[in-house]
Amino acid sequence: MKLGARMMKTGLAVAVALYISDLLPFVSPLLAAIAAVFSIQPSIYRSYQSIIEQIQGNTIGALIAVVAVFTLGNDPFIAAFAIIVVIGITTNLKMNENTISLAVVAVIALMDTTDLTFIHFASARFSSMLLGILAAFVVNLVFVPPKYETRLFRKIDVSTTDILQWLRVTTRQLSDQPALKYEITRIQDDLRWIDHTYLLYEEERTYFKGSRFSKGRKLVLFRQLITTTKKSFDVVKAFYRLEHKIEQIPDEFQDALVGELDKLINAHEKLVLSLKGRIKQTHKQSLRQIEEPDIPLLVDRLMHVYEETNNPDKLVFLPLASQLMEYYYQLEKLKRLLKSYQTHHKEDYIKT
């Protein structure tokens, strides 16, 4: 079992809420712990949004519970009616599910039968909920702040490496089909995780002007890096679908296809290494000249080969040609963005 930061934060928030509850005799430890569990969020910005929304939702739930008790009593059917009203209001206000659930808990807690004065009882229960919300916010703010830039780039780096390895193997018709089919599904899941993490990284706020400009350029760079990785994955899937038809391509063109794709893969790897700060921006001539890929010429040759034949299956290679062109253009765009970023932020590498 893998313990993530959010699991530990949830446990710590509950512990903090329970500990403070023991110091305050009028606070309910159970309600404070429940509120802490519902209030933990994956990012500091979302935690800030959550605390505002949770307080609003609990206030709505508390007000409706108080009005219901003073006007109608605390009969179970009246409590059910109050819960329906709270759900309706919070849903119309487009609050998230955790906020709605906690507001419902507030109604149930406040409409419970008690021998105490209702106002004193309601105040103690409401304070317990607020204590749990605040405990979760403080823990989320202080304990292991999420480093989404590092996590995002690491996952992109690993996924890109896997994709490019499969692209090398697939273009040489050496890939094991069942293994590649499984890897395609796994990589698709990884790309969904990358999209989700990018949104969390985008939500993180910066408070200094210089950092704000750097963060904005990094967001653009990351978005293009993700797009380029997805395009390389599309090429792998295109080769996977054409596995049994590749032999229809003339041998001479197959050699050219493998050669140009190797150049494309090398260019992609070079850009990722440059993002890590492992390649000099100005360097001497290497021992072996690194040639730039010429995919437009390759695609033009592919179209020319099949225009001269009467092969009815020639159109199945059009998606491959399209994916190759898209991959090439996105890679060129990534190269321009990286050059621009490194011009303005020479010492600010991606955190790895």
Side-chain angles (χ1 to χ4, degrees):
M1 182 178 65
K2 184 178 180 180
L3 295 177
R6 189 171 181 181
M7 295 181 187
M8 292 187 288
K9 284 183 178 183
T10 301
L12 184 59
V14 170
V16 170
L18 291 173
Y19 181 76
I20 298 176
S21 299
D22 289 338
L23 301 177
L24 302 173
F26 60 89
V27 172
S28 169
L30 177 61
L31 290 178
I34 292 173
V37 170
F38 279 110
S39 301
I40 285 291
Q41 295 295 321
S43 69
I44 294 174
Y45 178 69
R46 288 195 180 184
S47 184
Y48 170 74
Q49 286 184 317
S50 175
I51 189 175
I52 301 299
E53 193 174 277
Q54 295 280 22
I55 291 174
Q56 291 174 344
N58 275 275
T59 302
I60 291 171
L63 288 175
I64 291 175
V66 169
V67 171
V69 169
F70 276 113
T71 57
L72 302 173
N74 60 351
D75 185 79
F77 287 102
I78 296 173
F81 174 74
I83 289 172
I84 293 171
V85 172
V86 168
I87 293 175
I89 294 174
T90 52
T91 301
N92 286 332
L93 293 175
K94 296 182 179 180
M95 295 183 175
N96 64 48
E97 292 183 2
N98 283 349
T99 302
I100 295 173
S101 300
L102 197 55
V104 170
V105 171
V107 173
I108 296 171
L110 268 64
M111 296 189 71
D112 191 14
T113 56
T114 178
D115 296 330
L116 300 175
T117 304
F118 178 73
I119 293 298
H120 180 268
F121 177 75
S123 299
R125 291 297 178 94
F126 185 67
S127 299
S128 302
M129 307 289 281
L130 292 182
L131 173 61
I133 295 170
L134 292 173
F137 177 72
V138 172
V139 168
N140 214 43
L141 186 66
V142 176
F143 182 71
V144 193
K147 298 179 180 179
Y148 286 115
E149 179 181 321
T150 303
R151 292 172 59 187
L152 179 60
F153 184 73
R154 281 179 179 172
K155 196 65 174 181
I156 294 174
D157 186 21
V158 171
S159 297
T160 301
T161 301
D162 288 344
I163 292 169
L164 296 184
Q165 286 177 349
W166 277 110
L167 193 54
R168 279 197 175 97
V169 171
T170 305
T171 53
R172 290 167 171 78
Q173 295 180 272
L174 299 175
S175 60
D176 178 71
Q177 287 298 294
L180 179 54
K181 182 178 180 180
Y182 169 79
E183 286 295 300
I184 286 175
T185 303
R186 184 187 62 81
I187 293 172
Q188 285 174 336
D189 292 337
D190 289 344
L191 292 176
R192 280 192 287 269
W193 186 94
I194 287 172
D195 287 336
H196 175 67
T197 307
Y198 176 82
L199 291 176
L200 294 175
Y201 176 56
E202 187 179 28
E203 288 176 351
E204 285 187 332
R205 293 296 182 262
T206 52
Y207 304 99
F208 300 100
K209 188 175 181 180
S211 300
R212 195 176 303 126
F213 286 132
S214 175
K215 171 72 178 294
R217 287 194 173 97
K218 280 183 180 179
L219 283 171
V220 174
L221 194 59
F222 270 121
R223 185 166 61 242
Q224 183 58 35
L225 184 61
I226 293 169
T227 300
T228 306
T229 299
K230 288 180 178 179
K231 290 302 177 183
S232 65
F233 184 52
D234 289 339
V235 175
V236 172
K237 291 190 291 185
F239 272 105
Y240 171 72
R241 289 190 290 266
L242 296 173
E243 174 69 20
H244 302 294
K245 297 183 180 180
I246 292 294
E247 62 272 6
Q248 297 180 17
I249 302 178
D251 293 339
E252 181 183 352
F253 184 78
Q254 288 186 31
D255 294 337
L257 179 62
V258 171
E260 289 299 321
L261 270 171
D262 279 347
K263 296 176 187 176
L264 200 60
I265 293 169
N266 290 334
H268 196 166
E269 289 174 334
K270 181 180 176 182
L271 291 178
V272 175
L273 289 172
S274 184
L275 273 168
K276 294 179 179 180
R278 297 181 182 177
I279 293 182
K280 295 179 180 178
Q281 296 182 30
T282 55
H283 50 275
K284 297 179 181 180
Q285 184 69 33
S286 63
L287 294 176
R288 181 175 179 272
Q289 180 64 34
I290 301 176
E291 299 181 17
E292 292 294 322
D294 194 352
I295 297 299
L297 178 61
L298 179 71
V299 172
D300 185 64
R301 286 182 59 187
L302 177 62
M303 295 297 97
H304 182 69
V305 166
Y306 283 98
E307 282 174 357
E308 295 179 346
T309 65
N310 295 320
N311 191 335
D313 294 330
K314 65 181 181 181
L315 294 180
V316 300
F317 292 95
L318 287 177
L320 175 61
S322 174
Q323 298 297 348
L324 286 171
M325 288 297 295
E326 280 291 323
Y327 181 27
Y328 172 74
Y329 284 136
Q330 295 300 333
L331 198 60
E332 288 295 307
K333 185 177 179 180
L334 177 60
K335 186 187 301 183
R336 293 193 298 269
L337 288 174
L338 178 59
K339 183 178 180 180
S340 175
Y341 178 81
Q342 291 178 337
T343 300
H344 292 89
H345 306 278
K346 295 182 180 180
E347 302 300 326
D348 190 6
Y349 298 114
I350 303 298
K351 296 176 183 178
T352 59

